């Protein structure tokens, strides 16, 4: 078989068996042999580094983008000099650096996407697909293939700042998820295509502990064959046979190839064109789609092949905000609060990210880490925005030393340490300083509550206190627990009203500093604080990316410094100010904000600041009082509060969810499902016999759930606040525990009502 016939056979193969038949014909010749990838006999450790097949494949897409940027670099003779893939994409591909792909028209995105094609074919099924990536980049010369795409840890990109690749091994991780890989490349349409096939080869077990990955050569050289330009004009084609996509069998969503590509390529420097040549489910039609990344979808980018629903519905969003982190460089933060789902059957965020890990950290647009929703629920005290709040942390502007400490070569998770901790601490300050987030969280909390009979709630409160007393944990409520004794339940603090809209004027007429303090702004040494500004100027008056081009200036004493600002939107913005670490207590100065208008006098506002002592931690009382609590019933998956019972679980089965507790603003909210089978079956039986007994059973069931939730909360406060690396396992164990507790609560409540215990709050 000639090399051209072999290449055509491999390109036309639809099954693994067809590949093996084609290779069998040439492997019999002594002129053909296999050599180890990377010229390493022991190469399995360097290749088997990825844990997810799609994340590994995305390294191939990153290499495809690099090949396109390399081609553009040659075409433009390296001008202008670009220090990052983002700069290169803006200079040579026309992708705006600030808005990314959402700043292009749908037609522009589609034309650019077709320079990198991702093709999915049926193969033998979900465990054995054919998955290809085809780029129209530079292509690779025959003699360069062993030194580049077939190498391991080579340094051919390490000095090319305009490319994303660094470590020289990421793409090879796809070999571990498939049976054979065809790599074909050509530098221009008149040249022959250079190609080879990679496979895993077992070695004699009596001599070797493990096998190795090898590629096919002929007489010591990479194979070459003629190739129709319609298949590959110039660039590189990589075709994986037997690729395991058994985790991604859905047509859309988190369990689909499309959804995972969107999620991990969160903000890609260039789009990709996904061609699905296979029906992934009986109800879904194969389709072609633009991969533009989740960030661009959240920022309003809609393509013709997207759903007819149009742009994502938002309750609130904060544009990219860069904060200076000293020697670590700067980090960009932005976030989106999705609108509530009317049906409430799943969290809106799950269409875009893993809703259990909605804080996305990226570098060069690629997902590098995902932070747990516990960070938003517990640390940021925004539990009722779970499933709606998505946060993006852009690490492109970190200093090189900080990047080295933060990022691992696998790109699957950032390293724990001082850099990551500093980035998350800044995010926490940003979220806590956003009054609108607090307002929307309170609004969502109040929306989830149900009206309860006040007297019945008092009975539950009294019984819970008695039972907790038995366990040695009676709450010190002072008669102010929600639904406790007194004139009725103490209502939670109402949410702040939505900020009034500001009428934008041209020319603007005012600018002011907003502050809670009536007299002086207070800082302590080393403190970073967000100051809110309000003006009727349009957004064009402020350039947060380049303060020198902004017409809003913050004049400040030398002991304080401005280290970042948000975009001006709707007349509102925030400025991040930091006090020197050695500033003296008692120092008094001023912060002045100025807005310059062409041909008119500048507008200004000024506030006095005072340096106060660093606040000392308050010593906790030895006696720990339990929080106020509210109990809210949820009528199954159709209830809008169902996501609060599911707690970001991947399963939606009523048998798997009994209850969940959320702490917010000092109140513990206990949500329980009336559809949980062991509860629903018993209460229906009792309702058929006696509605009073059924009501007593319901009340006593709530009592036992509340007791468990309060005890569990108390134990959590005594434990470490650190997020555990096995949080998914812990979350699943917590769900199972709550189901067991609900089953016990059913037994206890039934025993009480059957034993004739008085329903009127007996001892």
């Amino acid at each position: 078989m000639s090399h051209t016939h072999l290449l055509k056979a491999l390109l036309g193969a639809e099954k693994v068996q067809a590949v093996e038949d084609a290779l069998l014909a040439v492997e019999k010749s002594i002129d053909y042999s296999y050599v180890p990838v990377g010229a390493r006999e022991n190469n399995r450790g360097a290749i088997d580094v990825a844990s997810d097949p799609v994340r590994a494949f995305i390294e191939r897409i990153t290499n495809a983008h690099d090949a396109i940027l390399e081609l553009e670099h040659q075409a433009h003779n390296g001008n202008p000099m670009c220090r990052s893939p983002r700069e290169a994409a803006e200079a040579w591909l026309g992708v705006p650096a600030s808005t990314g792909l959402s700043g292009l028209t749908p037609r522009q995105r589609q034309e650019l996407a077709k320079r990198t094609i991702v093709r999915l074919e049926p193969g033998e099924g979900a465990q054995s697909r054919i998955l290809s990536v085809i780029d129209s980049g530079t292509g690779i010369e025959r003699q360069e293939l062993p030194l580049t795409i077939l190498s391991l840890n080579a340094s051919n990109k390490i000095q090319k700042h305009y490319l994303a690749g660094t470590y020289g091994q990421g793409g090879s991780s796809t070999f571990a998820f498939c049976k054979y890989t065809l790599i074909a490349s050509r530098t221009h349409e008149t040249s022959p295509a250079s190609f080879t096939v990679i496979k895993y080869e077992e070695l004699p077990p009596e001599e070797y502990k493990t096998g190795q990955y090898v590629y096919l050569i002929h007489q010591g050289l990479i194979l070459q064959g003629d190739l129709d330009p319609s298949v590959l004009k110039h660039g590189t084609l990589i075709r994986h046979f037997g690729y395991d996509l058994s985790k991604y069998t859905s047509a859309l969503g988190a369990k689909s190839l499309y959804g995972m590509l969107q999620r991990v390529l969160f903000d890609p420097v260039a789009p990709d064109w996904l061609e699905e040549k296979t029906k992934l489910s009986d109800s879904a039609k194969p389709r072609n789609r633009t991969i533009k990344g989740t960030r661009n979808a959240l920022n309003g980018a809609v393509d013709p092949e997207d759903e007819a629903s149009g742009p994502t519905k938002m309750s609130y969003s904060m544009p990219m905000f860069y904060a200076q982190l000293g020697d670590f460089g700067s980090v960009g933060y932005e976030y989106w609060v999705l609108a509530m789902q009317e049906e409430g059957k799943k969290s809106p965020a799950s269409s875009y990210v893993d809703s259990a890990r909605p804080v996305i950290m990226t570098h060069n647009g690629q997902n590098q880490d995902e932070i747990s929703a516990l960070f938003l629920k517990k640390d940021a005290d925004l539990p009722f925005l779970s499933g709606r709040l998505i946060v993006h942390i852009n690490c492109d502007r970190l200093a090189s030393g900080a990047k080295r400490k933060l990022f691992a070569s696998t790109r699957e998770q950032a390293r724990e340490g001082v850099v990551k901790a500093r980035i998350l601490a800044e995010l926490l300050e940003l979220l806590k300083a956003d009054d609108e987030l607090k307002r929307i969280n309170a609004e969502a909390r109040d929306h989830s509550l149900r009206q309860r009979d006040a007297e019945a709630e008092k009975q539950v409160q009294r019984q819970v206190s008695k039972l907790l007393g038995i366990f040695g944990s009676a709450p010190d409520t002072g008669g102010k627990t929600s639904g406790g004794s007194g004139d009725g339940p103490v209502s939670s603090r109402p949410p702040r009203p939505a900020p009034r809209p500001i009428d934008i004027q041209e020319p603007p007429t005012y600018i002011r500093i907003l502050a809670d303090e009536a007299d002086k702004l207070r800082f302590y040494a080393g403190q970073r604080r967000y100051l809110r500004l309000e003006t009727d100027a349009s957004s064009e008056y402020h350039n947060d990316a380049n303060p020198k081009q902004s017409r809003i200036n913050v004049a400040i004493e030398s002991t304080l410094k401005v280290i970042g600002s948000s975009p001006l939107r709707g007349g509102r913005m925030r400025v991040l100010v930091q006090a020197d670490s050695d500033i003296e207590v008692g120092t008094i100065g001023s912060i002045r904000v100025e807005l310059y208008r062409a041909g008119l006098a500048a507008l200004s506002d000024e506030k006095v600041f005072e340096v106060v002592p660093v606040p000392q931690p308050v010593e906790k009382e030895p006696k720990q009082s339990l929080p106020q609590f509210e109990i809210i019933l949820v009528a199954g998956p159709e209830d809008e509060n169902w996501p609060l019972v599911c707690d970001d679980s991947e399963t939606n089965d009523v048998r798997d969810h009994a209850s969940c507790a959320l702490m917010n603003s000092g109140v513990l909210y206990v949500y329980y499902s009336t559809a949980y089978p062991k509860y629903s079956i018993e209460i229906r039986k009792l309702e058929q016999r006696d509605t009073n007994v059924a009501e007593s059973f319901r009340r006593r069931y709530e009592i036992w759930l509340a007791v468990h939730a309060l005890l569990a909360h108390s134990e959590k406060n005594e434990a470490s606040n650190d997020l555990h690396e096995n949080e998914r396992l812990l979350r699943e164990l917590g769900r199972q525990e709550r189901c067991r507790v609900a089953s016990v609560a059913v037994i206890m409540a039934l025993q009480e009502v059957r034993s004739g215990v008085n329903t009127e709050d007996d001892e």
Side-chain angles (χ1 to χ4, degrees), residues 469-490:
I470 293 172
F471 290 111
S473 303
D476 180 20
T477 62
K480 294 185 179 181
T481 54
S482 173
S485 59
D487 295 331
V490 176

Side-chain angles (χ1 to χ4, degrees), residues 40 83 95 130 232 253 309 366 398 405 409 412 420 428 573 604-605 633 646 652 669 696 733:
R40 296 186 195 174
R83 299 289 296 177
V95 179
I130 298 176
L232 184 68
S309 57
Q366 185 172 331
L398 276 177
K405 293 179 180 178
S409 61
E412 292 193 4
K420 185 175 179 179
L428 191 60
M573 61 178 287
S604 65
D605 188 28
L633 62 86
C646 287
N652 201 41
Y669 297 90
S696 178
L733 291 175

Side-chain angles (χ1 to χ4, degrees), residues 501-513:
I502 296 175
D503 292 330
I504 304 302
Q505 303 292 329
E506 184 54 48
T509 62
Y510 74 91
I511 187 169
R512 66 171 69 104
I513 302 172

